[in-house]
Amino acid sequence: MAEALAVTLPSGYDDEFVNTVDEDLHCSICHLPLKEAVQTGKCGHRFCRQCLDEHFRRLELNREPLNCPVERNILIRDRDIFPDKATERKILSFIIKCPSDGCQWTGELRSKTNHLTTCPLKIVFCTNENCFNTMTRNILQKHVTTTCPWRILLCTHCSESHPECETEAHHAECKKFPLSCSQNCGAVIPREEISPHIEKDCPLSIISCPYFDHMGCEAKIQRREVESHLQAAMRLHLDLACVKLCDTQKKFEETTKRLEERVNALEEHIHFSEEKCDTQKKFEETTKKFEERVNALEEHIHFSEEKCESFAWKIDGFSEVLRKAKSGEEATKESSPFYICGYKCKLQLYSNGNGVGKNTHLSIFFVIIKGEYDAMLTWPFQKKVTFTLVDQQENANDRENIVKSFTSDSKRRNFERPVKEENIGRGLAKFVSQEELQKRRYIVDDAIFIQFHITSPE
């Protein structure tokens, strides 16, 4: 029986009492001061409620009748067991010492719980997630905020949160972490900008001569040596230009000769019969219409600096475009390439934002693309760029279009003549907030309209 009762010992009080606890206030099972005292109505023995419940549980498990653990009298749980409130109040009034090592607090047993919630020497667990260290409460705050390896820190570069013990791992993948240029040019830039820096800005990057496409100069030089190369190779470039010009002239003469041969062959087959004259007449009429269309096209093309032109872009299925952007399936929507003032361009729409507008705004950029007329245009591109989100109110007088502009910066590579197929885009990361987009009829039939307009800078 002693072994069976040993299981219930923790249910009693194990505090260090300052007063002597009378023997009749001890549980007859765990032999500790009574906790939630109950008394049997038949024999008057006192027990801890938990101790007696555990005794009954074992009896029920063995299909035995309930009885008193001391005298084995048969008991009926609902009729013969009573809470002994007087004994419980008496025990709770006993003076105890705080169980925490080093704490000098003493007080009534009933005050123990309140004291332990503030006891500075009570052993507690660290409150930081994944930290299982224990310490006294009086050093918990310092540990949680200063020394705990699992305390949360904000990255000084990207402002993302991470545990202190994972700082090194975070820095190894942080997109904003500053790194030295891999080509040792001395620049220190964020990790995510290393590739664009090497491709567009690094003075030590090896690039082709600017005259490679036009004249065929095959020199490979560092970006910082471009000017000195152009000065040193001026004679070579002139010779290459002459060769290019001679080759072009030769091809022109060959083409002219072939054209003349075809004209002569055509003239030999032309007879002045009525039927053939009709064919000649139709040919002349077709030629005239062709010349008129060419003239109209030439009148339509203008490269004057004062000319203002615009491009309208309709984005259908905007809700699906926004859903794909938020899910990461397709962050960017691009327009078809178009010419404006001779410059070939395209628009890029980030419906869920880009850069500082990420997740909050609709971002819009325009990209300069390598075009047919680049050799005739003024570089760098120096224009005032205007984006307009159209309010689709039926009454034009009620519309409140969102119009935002910026002037191109001649010092940025975005506006230089394209060397590759296209430059990096430039625009407005915070063109319009996603909240403002819903306020008026900017979205109608799941479509939005964006107008792109350029003018000469003021």
Side-chain angles (χ1 to χ4, degrees), residues 58-108:
R58 288 196 302 274
L59 292 175
E60 290 172 343
L61 189 63
N62 295 327
R63 300 182 181 278
E64 298 178 8
L66 305 186
N67 57 46
C68 173
V70 178
E71 296 186 357
R72 303 302 180 188
N73 294 324
I74 300 300
L75 300 174
I76 298 175
R77 186 195 296 266
D78 296 335
R79 191 185 67 186
D80 298 330
I81 308 300
F82 305 95
D84 192 345
K85 294 296 183 181
T87 299
E88 183 175 354
R89 285 194 296 271
K90 184 174 182 180
I91 293 176
L92 290 176
S93 66
F94 281 104
I95 304 300
I96 63 166
K97 295 180 180 180
C98 176
S100 302
D101 290 341
C103 181
Q104 300 301 313
W105 177 87
T106 59
E108 290 186 349

Side-chain angles (χ1 to χ4, degrees), residues 206-221 225-226 228-244 419:
I206 302 299
I207 62 173
S208 299
C209 172
Y211 293 136
F212 172 73
D213 291 331
H214 303 293
M215 301 180 186
C217 179
E218 298 180 350
K220 298 289 185 179
I221 51 177
E225 297 175 351
V226 170
S228 61
H229 168 73
L230 294 178
Q231 293 293 330
M234 188 178 300
R235 179 58 182 271
L236 172 62
H237 293 157
L238 182 60
D239 292 342
L240 291 172
C242 291
V243 172
K244 189 81 170 181
V419 177

